[in-house]
Amino acid sequence: MDFDFDLFVIGGGSGGVRAARVAAAEGKTVGLAEESRMGGTCVIRGCVPKKLMVFASSFGTAADDAGQYGWDITKGDFDWPSFQSRLHGELDRLEGVYQSLLKNSGVEMFHSRAVLVDKHTVKLGNGVTKTARHILIATGGRPVRPQDVPNAHLGLVSDDIFNLKALPKRMLIIGGGYIACEFACILNGLGVEVEMYLRGAQILNGFDDEARGLVAETMKQSGIVIHTGTNILDMCPAADKDNREAASGTNESMGVAPAHGSGPLWVKTTMGAEAEFDAVFFATGRAPNTNDLGLEDIGVDTGRKGEIVVDDFSKTSVDHIYAIGDVTGRVELTPVAIREGMAFVETVFKDNPTPVDHDLIPTAVFTQPEVGTVGLTEEQAAAQEPIDVYCTSFRPMQGAFIEKADRVLMKLLVSQKTRKVLGCHIVADGAGEMIQMAGIAVKMGATKEDFDRVCAVHPTMSEELVTMKTPVRSA
Ligand code: NDP
């Protein structure tokens, strides 16, 4: 049977674009449909604009510190419109780069939604169908608002932050995960008064407890108010709070324009407290983009949260249909989606079945200070086997010089039996850069003694990773 393409990719994010380009480089005919902007979550409304906002927000503290270091600095106000215009210019540039990469690789682009018709056919928004020997679903995910909070549509989600007309004066962030913590630090750094409601006892669920504790402490010291064991119960425009019945609205998580900017919002917490904020930001997790893709009709299995179920080779329950990235609900990280895309091409087009290795993925949370982590947390490692914990927390030179209280953390979890480093956790400015390097050693199976054989780079914070002599405890 003749097909229009060897491969049709639905979704132009990091994973889909990489798979399309690599397949095209193998001489395959490739089509790709994207209904929004090329580049997907990472480039357009995630990692990239977020990191640029991290940079922007760090200059306030840097200016304060510079004064302490002897510079004659006058810190002005942050000009959000000026930064935002430059930010969007950069995103436009990057989108153009993505489009050029695809075009130059020979990938045919369709700026349209595509849905599955059968295992070899997709239908575009204009009704035109395209056939392909293989279909790759890389539609990513989207932020979701809780369904049980009245008027949740009045709140923002992460996609909205980059398009705010003005920064709110007081912001409430719901959630304590990656996105909640990163934006709490960013917005606080830009001068917004930030409070967080998290239903758990600590931020960054799933991370090493000691690391979480230090980040939370530093965030509080920098002015962020963290309410633990607290959730939002109710919200409405402050002007309507005495007339709750009239104000109750829908809880749609998508498709409803948030009414931010139209006056303060009143919120009530599960603890019974009431407060007002200029904006409420739901950072309460993400859902896979699988709605109305035609999956059920052709028998592609999905899981409890709507994620596409795939095997080790990213194959769905239907032959010839594969899925990669956030839509599969495996590990929601850009570099992982890219790896999955490349493994897919190896498997399907290069006759080299390649399972995706999801073990020991280094990752960073771009809080201030950052968290860099690879491998097991202390809690996970100790549950697995007897371990030695090597850990140090100290005031780094740059801050200590100007009497800042901020501390950093360097931590290694070592198997007593094999001496392998099972986990490495860093809380420090630049931890994201450091953990990339430490991740190589941990992935190679380095032992504590391998770390010790490496000469320290002095004076740095990360030299502590190779100079910790005695365990602080065993577990
Ligand atoms: P996370 O899963 O990290 O955090 C979600 C947070 O929302 C948790 O604190 C969770 O609480 C809370 N929550 C969930 N549902 C509710 C609810 N109904 N009411 C109140 N709180 C709720 O999701 P994010 O959206 O922050 O990030 C999604 C993924 O994106 C991350 O897991 C990560 O893989 C990726 N990401 C990576 C980044 C990076 O690499 N730097 C940056 C941003 C995102 P609880 O813990 O109690 O469940």
Side-chain angles (χ1 to χ4, degrees):
M1 181 178 167
D2 276 349
F3 297 104
D4 296 327
F5 297 103
D6 296 315
L7 171 66
F8 197 95
V9 181
I10 308 180
S14 307
V17 167
R18 180 62 66 90
R21 284 174 51 208
V22 181
E26 285 301 304
K28 305 299 170 192
T29 53
V30 184
L32 182 147
E34 166 59 56
E35 65 178 331
S36 177
R37 297 178 64 183
M38 214 59 81
T41 297
C42 172
V43 178
I44 304 297
R45 59 192 90 85
C47 320
V48 171
K50 179 274 307 283
K51 190 80 189 276
L52 291 168
M53 284 185 74
V54 170
F55 293 140
S57 76
S58 64
F59 286 110
T61 318
D64 293 337
D65 293 355
Q68 298 282 312
Y69 265 86
W71 285 91
D72 181 9
I73 294 269
T74 310
K75 193 166 91 175
D77 289 332
F78 177 65
D79 183 349
W80 169 251
S82 147
F83 168 77
Q84 194 183 37
S85 133
R86 199 177 188 115
L87 174 70
H88 285 293
E90 178 65 358
L91 301 185
D92 291 345
R93 186 185 72 80
L94 291 172
E95 186 184 9
V97 169
Y98 266 67
Q99 304 217 34
S100 307
L101 285 171
L102 285 170
K103 193 165 163 235
N104 297 339
S105 319
V107 175
E108 189 174 346
M109 277 176 277
F110 300 91
H111 298 279
S112 161
R113 182 169 173 79
V115 297
L116 295 155
V117 175
D118 64 39
K119 65 181 181 177
H120 289 297
T121 312
V122 299
K123 186 158 86 174
L124 302 173
N126 58 5
V128 171
T129 55
K130 296 286 171 188
T131 59
R133 184 172 300 281
H134 299 284
I135 295 172
L136 180 67
I137 305 169
T139 47
R142 64 183 191 282
V144 287
R145 298 173 176 85
Q147 294 295 303
D148 52 354
V149 178
N151 293 309
H153 67 286
L154 297 174
L156 306 165
V157 291
S158 55
D159 294 358
D160 303 318
I161 299 294
F162 311 110
N163 297 316
L164 286 174
K165 291 213 165 50
L167 290 180
K169 188 167 176 303
R170 301 159 302 173
M171 164 85 87
L172 171 65
I173 301 181
I174 314 292
Y178 271 84
I179 293 178
C181 292
E182 288 183 343
F183 276 103
C185 293
I186 290 169
L187 293 163
N188 178 58
L190 295 178
V192 177
E193 292 166 24
V194 178
E195 295 195 29
M196 298 174 76
Y197 292 172
L198 48 127
R199 60 186 181 183
Q202 185 55 287
I203 58 166
L204 295 175
N205 216 352
F207 285 77
D208 185 88
D209 274 352
E210 214 165 4
R212 299 164 75 190
L214 182 56
V215 180
E217 214 36 60
T218 315
M219 284 170 66
K220 286 182 205 162
Q221 274 167 23
S222 71
I224 298 167
V225 180
I226 303 179
H227 303 265
T228 55
T230 304
N231 207 344
I232 186 169
L233 191 65
D234 196 359
M235 66 186 280
C236 74
D240 295 344
K241 77 172 171 190
D242 295 330
N243 187 14
R244 291 291 296 109
E245 289 306 308
S248 68
T250 62
N251 276 335
E252 290 301 309
S253 57
M254 290 294 288
V256 182
H260 48 84
S262 54
L265 294 166
W266 166 87
V267 301
K268 186 169 185 183
T269 77
T270 45
M271 310 301 281
E274 298 180 37
E276 281 186 19
F277 296 92
D278 300 306
V280 174
F281 173 3
F282 289 103
T284 44
R286 299 176 58 84
N289 280 330
T290 46
N291 290 348
D292 305 322
L293 268 183
L295 299 173
E296 314 75 33
D297 300 340
I298 61 168
V300 175
D301 288 344
T302 52
R304 202 168 53 83
K305 294 180 175 168
E307 76 280 10
I308 296 179
V309 179
V310 290
D311 67 12
D312 290 348
F313 301 94
S314 298
K315 190 159 97 58
T316 70
S317 51
V318 173
D319 280 346
H320 308 288
I321 300 186
Y322 290 73
I324 57 165
D326 289 5
V327 76
T328 64
R330 288 179 285 185
V331 181
E332 293 171 89
L333 297 171
T334 296
V336 176
I338 289 173
R339 296 231 154 189
E340 289 168 357
M342 285 160 62
F344 156 78
V345 173
E346 284 290 324
T347 303
V348 173
F349 294 118
K350 295 170 85 173
D351 201 18
N352 175 26
T354 304
V356 185
D357 180 2
H358 288 114
D359 198 26
L360 293 173
I361 297 169
T363 179
V365 191
F366 294 99
T367 39
Q368 293 162 14
E370 294 175 8
V371 186
T373 179
V374 62
L376 302 179
T377 65
E378 180 176 341
E379 300 68 40
Q380 291 165 334
Q384 176 181 293
E385 62 185 281
I387 56 163
D388 288 332
V389 180
Y390 295 81
C391 184
T392 175
S393 179
F394 56 95
R395 288 199 303 157
M397 189 180 188
Q398 189 177 346
F401 179 70
I402 51 175
E403 289 163 26
K404 286 177 83 167
D406 297 358
R407 303 182 79 78
V408 301
L409 176 92
M410 303 281 156
K411 181 168 183 179
L412 294 177
L413 307 164
V414 178
S415 161
Q416 284 181 5
K417 188 166 166 221
T418 64
R419 300 297 294 157
K420 269 192 184 174
V421 176
L422 303 173
C424 174
H425 307 277
I426 302 173
V427 178
D429 287 345
E433 304 287 348
M434 295 180 213
I435 205 67
Q436 180 69 82
M437 299 294 113
I440 298 171
V442 175
K443 186 79 181 168
M444 288 175 74
T447 61
K448 173 70 171 67
E449 286 62 38
D450 290 326
F451 272 67
D452 293 348
R453 282 191 294 119
V454 179
C455 198
V457 178
H458 185 74
T460 64
M461 294 181 275
S462 54
E463 68 180 299
E464 297 291 331
L465 288 176
V466 298
T467 56
M468 291 186 285
K469 289 284 168 263
T470 322
V472 290
R473 59 185 168 271
S474 297

